[in-house]
Amino acid sequence: MTEVILRLPSGPVPERGLGPAATDVRGGLYGPLEEAFQTWRAAEIAGLAGVLAPDDPDGEEPWTVAAGALRSGRHLRAVAEFAPSFATPVYAAKMSATLQRFTGGRLGWKVTVGGDPAERAAQGDTVTGADALRRADEFLTAARGVWQERPFTFEGDFYRVLEGGFGHPLSGGPFPTVYLSGRTPGELDLSAAHADVHLLRLGDDPEAVRAELDRRAPGRAVRLGVELSVSVRHVGQDDGPPEEVSGRWGGFASLGHTVPEGFVGTPAELAAEFDALRRRGVTVFVVEARPALAEAYRLGEHLLPALADLEREETADAR
């Protein structure tokens, strides 16, 4: 089943002044996260599978944002993006077990490895390269171990757990869906061992990645996803790419997107691009779209129905 997950805006929320001729006298009527709340609700109403709270050094804390998104809806899933330096695997697992209990198992983890070394160091994380991959492997092993076993003992280079594990009421719930990414052999090994979803970027070869994951972990089901930006083209739209842009576009960074490549087009055109990727094995789409609040509704009202129509046509043809 195809899933569309909205990547929430990262970085500081821009100030929205009224200009020199007007003054907003309402004070604190609307809080700084009001637009985020409305975006979570829009994603739920629009029927998106979930939202992703990104790990941005200058943005809001992703676990708090994910918890808020989970609280705002009944069906919406939320993925918290974080590096293993965020917490010990036992504490991260305990936080997640509580969130899973409160929300019916709707939490996901996007565990990041690597990144800009200076940026990571500014957050107190100086583990890089092969060590970062080994630490991520140990983190996920230990987190899943205390979740599923009691007593659980693990001794690694980065973490030690002695006779740990969860009892009632934390035990028994579903472990968070794990999203990983990367192209290197070490990153693919990590996904083969731990990922539920391996995220690609546009330009990666889904069939080749599928073959590599299957070779590394025969019989283990790892779904393929893709991270991309989108702009659902509408007549008179003035907040997106230039009017002459259509199809695949690499200029989304100029609009403030974190993911620089993606697609621009009508709902039917975008659905065709998604369907082409789906036919190559991609079933999860993590999309960045701005303004996120308006685009959440556009995705739900226009893109999802167009994509569903293509899937129904393929099912009918197969019969």
Side-chain angles (χ1 to χ4, degrees):
M1 181 178 179
T2 302
E3 298 179 2
V4 177
I5 297 172
L6 178 65
R7 181 184 177 93
L8 297 172
S10 59
V13 177
E15 294 292 333
R16 294 191 173 184
L18 298 177
T23 301
D24 188 347
V25 298
R26 296 174 296 179
L29 181 62
Y30 297 102
L33 291 181
E34 177 63 23
E35 185 165 344
F37 175 79
Q38 296 297 337
T39 303
W40 305 333
R41 293 291 296 133
E44 168 101 348
I45 293 168
L48 302 183
V51 295
L52 184 147
D55 182 14
D56 187 314
D58 296 319
E60 305 290 352
E61 201 284 313
W63 284 82
T64 305
V65 173
L70 291 167
R71 178 67 179 84
S72 70
R74 298 177 59 190
H75 308 288
L76 190 70
R77 284 181 280 146
V79 181
E81 182 180 36
F82 64 97
S85 58
F86 161 76
T88 69
V90 177
Y91 187 71
K94 185 171 184 177
M95 283 178 55
S96 299
T98 299
L99 281 171
Q100 294 293 61
R101 289 184 62 234
F102 289 171
T103 64
R106 292 184 282 128
L107 176 70
W109 287 1
K110 184 176 186 292
V111 181
T112 59
V113 182
D116 183 352
E119 197 172 84
R120 300 301 320 163
Q123 299 179 66
D125 182 5
T126 57
V127 178
T128 59
D131 285 344
L133 284 167
R134 289 195 300 113
R135 181 182 63 176
D137 175 66
E138 289 188 11
F139 180 95
L140 289 163
T141 299
R144 197 180 291 271
V146 296
W147 194 289
Q148 297 177 339
E149 299 178 31
R150 189 178 190 185
F152 173 77
T153 293
F154 175 83
E155 298 201 34
D157 294 329
F158 296 91
Y159 305 105
R160 297 180 71 217
V161 181
L162 303 178
E163 301 293 313
F166 299 154
H168 181 79
L170 295 180
S171 62
F175 194 76
T177 302
V178 176
Y179 299 77
L180 295 170
S181 62
R183 307 177 182 181
T184 68
E187 290 167 329
L188 290 172
D189 284 339
L190 186 67
S191 280
H194 298 286
D196 297 297
V197 179
H198 180 84
L199 295 172
L200 312 170
R201 288 294 179 97
L202 284 181
D204 291 343
D205 183 343
E207 291 92 348
V209 173
R210 169 86 282 147
E212 287 293 327
L213 292 173
D214 289 345
R215 183 176 65 81
R216 286 167 162 79
R220 186 172 183 274
V222 180
R223 301 174 66 191
L224 292 182
V226 64
E227 295 181 280
L228 73 163
S229 287
V230 298
S231 180
V232 182
R233 176 72 75 197
H234 283 256
V235 176
Q237 183 176 339
D238 59 2
D239 54 6
E243 200 62 39
E244 66 273 10
V245 172
S246 183
R248 184 167 170 174
W249 189 49
F252 279 98
S254 66
L255 303 178
H257 287 228
T258 304
V259 183
E261 284 199 302
F263 297 116
V264 181
T266 66
E269 290 169 339
L270 294 182
E273 299 283 7
F274 278 40
D275 190 59
L277 288 167
R278 184 182 62 80
R279 291 170 183 264
R280 299 181 66 191
V282 175
T283 59
V284 178
F285 296 85
V286 179
V287 302
E288 185 172 6
R290 299 195 180 198
L293 176 55
E295 289 288 319
Y297 284 115
R298 288 173 181 165
L299 291 169
E301 293 174 1
H302 303 288
L303 177 62
L304 293 187
L307 188 57
D309 287 342
L310 291 177
E311 291 179 351
R312 281 193 292 269
E313 289 176 9
E314 181 180 359
T315 301
D317 291 344
R319 292 174 181 170

